[in-house]
Amino acid sequence: MFLAVFLCCGLLTPDILASEQTKEPKRSLRVAMFNAPPIMELTEDNKRQGFMVELLEQMAREEDWDIEWVNMDWPQAIPRTLNNDIDLIPFIAYSEARAELLDFNEEGILTGWGQVYVHHQEKMPENIIGLSGRTLGIIKNEVYGIKLANLCDLFSIECNFIEVATYREAFELLEKRSVAGIVTSNLVSYGYNNELIRKTPIVFEPRKVLFATAKNTNTNLLKTIDRYTRLWRFDERSIYYQLKDKYLTEIAQTKPLPPWLLYVSLVILSLLLFAALIVFILRKQVKIQTQDLEDKSDQIRQIINLVPHMIFASNANGKLILANRYAANFFGINMKDIEGYRQKDLISHVPKAKSLFEEEQLLLRRDAHAIQKEIEAYNIEGQKIMLKISKVPFVTRYSRIPSVVTVGVDITESKEYESQIQHMAQHDSLTQLPNRLLLKDRIHQSLALTQRYDQSGAVLFIDLDYFKNINDSLGHMAGDNLLQEVAVRLKNVVREGDTVARLGGDEFIIQLNQLDSDQLEAEKAACKIAENINYTLAQEYHVDGHKLFTTASIGIVIYPRDANTEESIIQRADTAMYYAKSMGRNRYAVFKREMEKVVVRNHLLERELRKSLVESRLLLRFQPQITNDDNEFIGAEALLRWNHPTEGIISPAEFIPIAEENHLIIPIGEWVLKQVCFQIQHWLEQYGISPFITVNLSAVQIRHSDLVNYIKELLERTQIPPHLLELEVTETVLLHEARISIDVLQELKKLGVRLSIDDFGTGYSSLTYLKKLPLDKLKIDRSFIKDIPGDPDSETIIRTVIGMSHDLGLEVIAEGVETKEQLDYLCKERCCMFQGFYFDPPITLEQIEEKYFPEIQRKAKSSSTVINLNDYSKK
């Protein structure tokens, strides 16, 4: 029996060996590991655990991967991926900036959102405005911290941010109250939940949790991860849901403070009090010494003003036989004692005054003539004095040995005037920075050096965002003070030897010398300085009792790569700056040749848009809004189109920002309101009834135009029921213009018009803030509609928005409805109004009348009562 088994094993062994030789080797996968409990966590005993760790290891077992976990802090993850140190980043959110460097999988593993946390002893902020004046901790390079910082900048909210490398550091700062709050993903909070930390109602930016790899390196790996994600997410018994139950449940743990902490705190407090006492004493001594020095300086200045000229005479032996008070003060010798001093003693006493006694030996000769020249000397105090010296030999009647009389006229002030005149010719009078003339000269010199030594330079063209608003609201004096503060901050950012110049208005230029010979490295260095400038200029300003905020758009040119003359360098930096401004402001852009086409096109479109407004080339299309009551047509949204004479229909996404930038949106908006009101009047006269029409409002209209009075006059002129006009504003407009938008909306509400908020849920959302607004309707953004049914995250957000709307007594409408499945799901969730291609695309007035008005008239005729337009519009 034993022999038979032995023979069988012997026969099978070659086959087994052959199969092992042909088997593909395990795939080695280097995965970033950073502390983000309960998603990913490295325990004290160096073990790895967490939702993402176990999920990825299960995939590895299925696919026969060999995972090498690489420990690091989160800010290192993306750079090390780009350097091919790691193959895969788990637990990362998508952003457009990251997508330029990384590939992401498609299926979201989880859904997270930004969440603000505060210490339990801190006052709970009701909304993002409540964060004003607080210091917040954020994780470096995390999207939620970046997003909240951008929101604070956008809404002029005064927040200070401290960057840390890990989530643990952020929560420790909060527990120690080193910061008033922290900003991070809600998912991470599960791992740091305790009695010291409270969630705030401030949530924003819902994003899917994804995997990422370096660009074009591991596409098949991401597809494999998507395959498992889809498989497990639709199986409630899968490991995906097991791990969610295991890790994503909030657990509050209360730990008593250790008794030694009280003693340590007392010791630290004592040391701090002692240190404070020492600092107080030192400051008092410094103040006394400083006051003494200032008194002595004042006395010296008074003496110099009273005795403006130096006069002294010395004999052939170099002994002073005459000296005035100016000379005595110059050498720091008492007036009574100076006569009798020898020149060598004076030079020893004031070495830098040696130039006063040069060439005197020549004047002692009988044929000598007077000497006149300008010299630079330093007095006993070390002050630099410019003197116009006249030396004359003379012989007294008591001695045949000639002496030399020296008269020194102080020309320091006139030389300073000359210097000031030259300075004024080359510098800006407000900020004292170099002007365009001096800047061009320095760029010219730098160009010559870069070409001679094979180096690169850079010019950063800086334009302050919305500076005109500060001038208009606070006056030019406040604007000038702000520009002076900006100049100081810019000088503190650059290196010694670089140039900060002001071209005029709110435009500044920074010229960087001697950058790397490698053009890409030079570009990186310039971009790093631009990032620092954006951060520095975005900090709070205190001007004339006001707290102000401003940001900057920056254009970068690397020379001689991008341009090789002074004019072309500045011009192309200006082009890049306008490109950065068009991309959303508060950012920088490096010049590319295609930018010139974009800037030229924007200028062309602006000019042609003005012409089209006069020539009536703007069009309105209307997208019907439907109720779930027999798919009944109740209203329409007016959508603006531009019929360009050569290009045809141009998208509003392209020309509306141009119109807003140049305030053309105000006459365009008035034209739209006028067309809509007259159309409603026409329908009422023609059919006896009219649906409501929705008009979108721009932030510029709310901020700068006489909007309320214009609409009031339109309503009086057309005599239409005000509720048939619905005005729609975006959530971002309401928050960014919070100081004036509420007042404007309240005034519009008094006129009887209806108010709607658009794109709800795509930015910052606060229930408390919404309750303060006089709104009638809330519109769910199409980005949430497109993934339903089937996407749990979108479904959760939609249910929340609908429930909140009902609680606030608001109507709710879903835009972007394109399928029957989407409609059925929304109806099931009690959404009653819809807009989208499932019913109609944007259509003409004729198409609306042809499709919907026969039915409207039929229902109106069959009604036994008088038609109530108010009831009809609120179905």
Side-chain angles (χ1 to χ4, degrees), residues 430-431 464-471 474-490 502 505-506 508 537 539-544 546-551:
L430 177 65
T431 63
L464 301 183
D465 299 327
Y466 302 114
F467 177 75
K468 185 177 183 298
N469 294 344
I470 296 175
N471 261 351
L474 300 180
H476 288 279
M477 184 172 294
D480 288 347
N481 292 338
L482 177 62
L483 291 174
Q484 290 173 333
E485 178 62 26
V486 167
V488 172
R489 295 190 183 186
L490 290 177
R502 179 180 179 229
D506 59 340
F508 296 84
L537 296 187
Q539 305 308 306
E540 179 180 292
Y541 298 84
H542 294 271
V543 176
D544 298 341
H546 299 280
K547 293 181 179 179
L548 302 178
F549 290 89
T550 187
T551 56

Side-chain angles (χ1 to χ4, degrees), residues 279-312:
V279 169
F280 174 76
I281 295 173
L282 291 176
R283 285 183 175 175
K284 188 173 182 180
Q285 292 297 322
V286 170
K287 185 176 181 181
I288 293 172
Q289 295 294 330
T290 302
Q291 188 63 46
D292 289 344
L293 290 174
E294 290 178 353
D295 292 341
K296 291 180 180 179
S297 298
D298 290 341
Q299 293 172 5
I300 292 172
R301 285 194 294 270
Q302 291 174 8
I303 293 172
I304 292 174
N305 290 334
L306 290 173
V307 186
H309 304 307
M310 175 186 290
I311 301 174
F312 67 86

